[in-house]
Amino acid sequence: MAQSDPDQLRLVQESGAALFEAVAARGGVPVEDPLVADEPEATQLLVRLGVLREEDGRYIVVDPQMAQGAVVTPLSQRAAEAIDAASSWAQAFSQLTQAYRRYPPTADGPMAELHGEQLNAFLEQVVEGARDEVLTAQPQVGRSAAGLRTATARDLAALQRGVRLRTIYQHAARRARFTRQYVDLVTAEGGEVRTLDEFFNRLIVVDRRVALIPSAHDRTTAVVIRDSNLVAYLVDIFERNWDRGLPFTQTTAEIASTIAAEQRAMATRMLIEGHPDSASAKRMGVSDRTYAAYLADLKRDYDAQTRFQLGYRMGLEASSGSRDD
């Protein structure tokens, strides 16, 4: 008997239960009694289930608890096996999904564009899969507290697996409280962080096999690069910037003086080149208000009343210096 047959279950629920109760109420019935003779399918099913038994020409009821195990136990075992199988299949597909996110298919071959949540999921998976090294360049201060918390958990997990982590920020990041907290945590686990004066684009390289760079379209899109030659080129750029960077964790007077001089020089360069204030502030990784303070200091130093006067006098000074050389 197919004990899991839904038609048989329905027959028990619709007519078999009523028939069983009627036979039980009468203390059994003769096998030719119309009660059972008129319901041959239900009668035979109850007999096969073991809750109705023929004895001395009569049908008598049997305690269903005694017969239940023969039907329910095999079904429960199959259900448990099905749950185990489902769990195993879920794990297998999870492994496949991780591989898919690490190496997303694309018609562009070694490069692919990822957007929004797809990008976030890929980043989580590729860093979780790091085995040797993660290189990160993070321009500007503008990382949210929530974003830094996520990055902190992810990066600490990588460091604890023995992965080497190196990060480059702009000098302005030293003023951001959440960034300082992040740096304290990762450096305590062996991470290394340096800062630069100049603007650079965001870059993440994992195990020197896959790199992520910003898309030219928008900030929510990134380009995943798996071409070994392009990845090696990006690593070389990172290493050159790393060599020029100043350790984040060192706060000596000499380093502080160097940082101040480099930021002032960059503000001067932005002004001479004619960049708008908002664009200059963005390239330096500072707020418009902080950049305005830089300009105020420069105006005072050059005795200039307006931005135009300041740019003109600084340009003359730069031109004079070039001629002297």
Side-chain angles (χ1 to χ4, degrees):
M1 179 185 103
Q3 295 168 335
S4 59
D5 188 333
D7 291 334
Q8 294 182 345
L9 175 60
R10 187 162 47 251
L11 181 59
V12 171
Q13 292 172 329
E14 293 177 354
S15 58
L19 176 61
F20 178 86
E21 184 173 359
V23 174
R26 291 171 55 179
V29 296
V31 294
E32 67 276 4
D33 190 287
L35 179 65
V36 291
D38 292 345
E39 294 285 351
E41 290 187 15
T43 299
Q44 292 306 311
L45 178 57
L46 293 178
V47 171
R48 289 198 300 272
L49 289 175
V51 296
L52 200 65
R53 185 173 73 235
E54 183 180 350
E55 187 175 289
D56 297 329
R58 294 174 59 79
Y59 284 122
I60 60 174
V61 295
V62 178
D63 184 354
Q65 290 291 329
M66 298 175 61
Q68 177 176 325
V71 176
V72 176
T73 298
L75 292 176
S76 299
Q77 290 175 342
R78 287 200 292 272
E81 292 170 358
I83 291 173
D84 289 342
S87 177
S88 298
W89 276 109
Q91 292 177 2
F93 275 100
S94 176
Q95 292 177 327
L96 297 176
T97 300
Q98 291 178 20
Y100 173 83
R101 288 175 175 169
R102 281 196 293 269
Y103 307 100
T106 169
D108 300 326
M111 294 197 298
E113 281 195 352
L114 298 180
H115 313 269
E117 288 305 314
Q118 185 185 22
L119 170 60
N120 294 333
F122 175 81
L123 182 58
E124 289 294 323
Q125 292 288 341
V126 76
V127 175
E128 286 178 6
R131 293 294 176 264
D132 301 312
E133 178 185 61
V134 176
L135 309 177
T136 306
Q138 294 285 357
Q140 307 173 40
V141 178
R143 303 181 75 184
S144 67
L148 271 174
R149 281 194 295 271
T150 300
T152 300
R154 182 182 64 227
D155 294 347
L156 287 176
L159 287 165
Q160 289 161 4
R161 293 197 310 272
V163 175
R164 186 186 184 191
L165 175 68
R166 287 188 287 161
T167 300
I168 301 175
Y169 282 108
Q170 288 177 275
H171 287 330
R174 294 172 182 262
R175 298 189 182 91
R177 177 168 60 89
F178 291 116
T179 303
R180 292 198 304 270
Q181 292 174 347
Y182 164 82
V183 172
D184 288 343
L185 290 170
V186 297
T187 53
E189 293 290 337
E192 302 170 77
V193 184
R194 296 185 181 183
T195 62
L196 278 176
D197 61 324
E198 64 186 44
F199 174 79
F200 47 85
N201 276 319
R202 179 164 295 165
L203 170 67
I204 299 174
V205 182
V206 177
D207 291 340
R208 306 201 176 202
R209 62 176 174 78
V210 58
L212 284 84
I213 62 174
S215 168
H217 303 308
D218 60 76
R219 294 185 62 184
T220 63
T221 303
V223 178
V224 178
I225 300 173
R226 298 188 301 278
D227 180 89
S228 58
N229 294 309
L230 290 176
V231 172
Y233 180 80
L234 293 171
V235 170
D236 180 65
I237 293 175
F238 179 92
E239 295 291 2
R240 291 171 187 270
N241 284 326
W242 180 260
D243 290 342
R244 294 175 48 250
L246 297 175
F248 196 111
T249 52
Q250 294 184 12
T251 55
T252 64
E254 181 181 356
I255 286 183
S257 176
T258 300
I259 290 172
E262 288 183 350
Q263 289 189 300
R264 178 187 174 95
M266 187 173 183
T268 301
R269 187 166 70 251
M270 295 293 100
L271 190 63
I272 292 175
E273 292 176 358
H275 296 288
D277 289 357
S278 59
S280 298
K282 181 178 179 181
R283 290 180 68 83
M284 291 183 66
V286 299
S287 66
D288 292 346
R289 185 175 180 178
T290 299
Y291 183 75
Y294 288 152
L295 289 187
D297 290 342
L298 290 171
K299 286 178 182 178
R300 183 173 58 253
D301 293 345
Y302 282 86
D303 192 25
Q305 301 300 314
T306 66
R307 190 179 184 282
F308 177 78
Q309 283 182 332
L310 176 61
Y312 177 73
R313 292 176 182 178
M314 293 172 69
L316 284 178
E317 182 180 84
S319 177
S320 174
S322 298
R323 286 197 298 270
D324 291 343
D325 292 340

